[in-house]
Amino acid sequence: MRVFLETFGCQMNELDSELVRGRLASLGYRFVDDPDAAEIVLFNTCAVRDHAEQKVRSRVGIVGSQKRNGREVILGLLGCMAEREGLEILQKHPQVDLLCGPGELDRLPMLLDNLRRTSAADRSERVALAGNRSRRTATLAAAEDALETLDLSRSFDPEGTRRPWSAYVRITRGCNKFCTYCVVPATRGAEVHRPPDAIVEECRQLVDRGVIEITLLGQTVNHYRYTHGTALTLDGREAPQVGPGLAAFRKAPPAGQRITTFAMLLARIHEEVPGLERLRFVTSYPRDLGEDVFDVLATCPRICRYLHMPVQSGSDRILKAMNRGYTVGEYLETVDRAIERLPDVSIAGDIIVGFPTETDEDFAATERLMRRVPFKNNFIFKYSPRPGTTAFDRLPDDVPDELKRYRNNRLLALQAEISRDVHAKEAGRSLGVLFDRVGSVPIERRAPGPASGGTVELRVAGRSSDSRTPEFQTPVPSDRRRWQALGRTGGDLIVAVDVESPEAAESLLGTVATVHIDSAESLLLHGHLPTPATTPIR
Ligand code: 5AD
Ligand code: SF4
């Protein structure tokens, strides 16, 4: 059976897709790049903003019209949209055969198997599995244990991953924060922490198979905290466990109880997986980044000094309405501490504009905050009301779309200025770069790059595109192009290096080399390799 799988949304979804791909491939399913050549089309969906859902709906519409014209294909929706909308989707879109929420992905092969046994003609029995919306408690341990099996059974398939040298490892699932705008606690359920031994083992296995960069994933990754000796699987291994809740998170553990904190986990991986060249983590919840985390970052050279630390708004009133749990002052305190302890730290964030009741003054406060923090970049979103969230139920979406767009554009322009300053500071320095893409630019142009819009052609290794990476596909005649190897610094800044041929660029992929930075743009550094262009430094 040929399967087409497209991923929308966040890194957590990218990892889920990779695990699903590995599991199905091991069962004999073959993955194809062309949705029209597949017998099974799966969309791993995102429900964080309406825009993401619209994209999926339009894809579902296309498959629907093909089906009405006689195409026989199984259409499945996985992920957060399947969870959020549940059976409603099946009612609205009769072409959808299968729904599988993010907490049930381990059971996807069984669902597909059931569908394949029924011919299309009598496929009135559509299948759906969702469950996180109820934030089950009684069944949580068992369900999460099954999910744990999916994480553990990860079959590493270099063909199936876009960048085989780089991998995600989940440490925490779900979220307990309940920011009022956010659908994640409902779709991904309560916070569950994986046992540290399983995480370290997964990192070790990935490195044994050639991975040199691991990004630890969690919705609030720094809330990771594992209490030992409380939950064991039947065969005596430690089991995933539900998070302690925010109040308990801050308390010291009772005497005699052994805890692995986030900082301890980072240090353990750094120590026990020496072949790992880069260890990263996203996303940090700003309030709970303690000195212990900074201590580990300051002393472990292979842990990237990169913090994705979304602030969401620069107004205390809006932060309160968002239930973010910190003030602007507290956020800035964390930023200042981070910079003091780690002078070369790179900070990225997320900001929402047009949250209900946001005034010009609130917005101005966000601009002030942005000018105060050296953000290397910010993902800026227009508020999107999400059914099932507190903001949707209690606050009118009262900022007109035009004003949201205006504020969005202003912040994008401001961020471009800030990014330019942050990048400019790197000129003259030598930075470690992990090369991950081949690109080319027209020979005529100087200082080109993704930021200059549409003049760079990138050959991206593998298939699905990362929604957060600028990529352009404007054809330029090949005899008038200069070749480049592109990569990222430990602080996640994009670096381009000129090389003599595409082969030279390809030979750098998946290696870390020291690059001397010559010049900077808003989103791109230009540099050169000190010795012959093809000698990577490991
Ligand atoms: N509307 C707009 N942006 C949102 N985000 C989460 N929920 C919403 C929403 N309803 C943004 C936040 C979060 C990022 C992943 O998505 O900025 O950090
Ligand atoms: Fe959503 Fe807030 Fe949890 Fe992030 S911390 S996933 S924004 S509820």
Side-chain angles (χ1 to χ4, degrees), residues 4 16-17 40-41 58 67 92 111 123 138 255 286 372 376 406 482 500 524 528:
F4 172 81
D16 280 341
S17 286
I40 300 173
V41 171
S58 107
K67 280 181 130 181
K92 275 193 254 167
L111 296 181
R123 202 176 288 145
R372 165 79 163 69
K376 78 134 187 120
Y406 168 77
R482 207 148 45 82
E500 66 272 17
L524 185 69
H528 66 274

Side-chain angles (χ1 to χ4, degrees), residues 81-101:
M81 199 173 156
E83 182 72 40
R84 192 185 73 73
E85 289 205 31
L87 298 175
E88 260 175 54
I89 297 195
L90 292 184
Q91 280 150 13
K92 275 193 254 167
H93 302 286
Q95 67 270 40
V96 176
D97 302 292
L98 176 157
L99 278 186
C100 188

Side-chain angles (χ1 to χ4, degrees), residues 175-179 181-185 219-220 285 312 324:
C175 183
N176 283 354
K177 259 302 297 151
F178 286 100
C179 300
Y181 51 80
C182 185
V183 82
V184 169
Q219 238 73 41
T220 51
Y285 175 64
Q312 312 296 2
R324 283 296 286 175

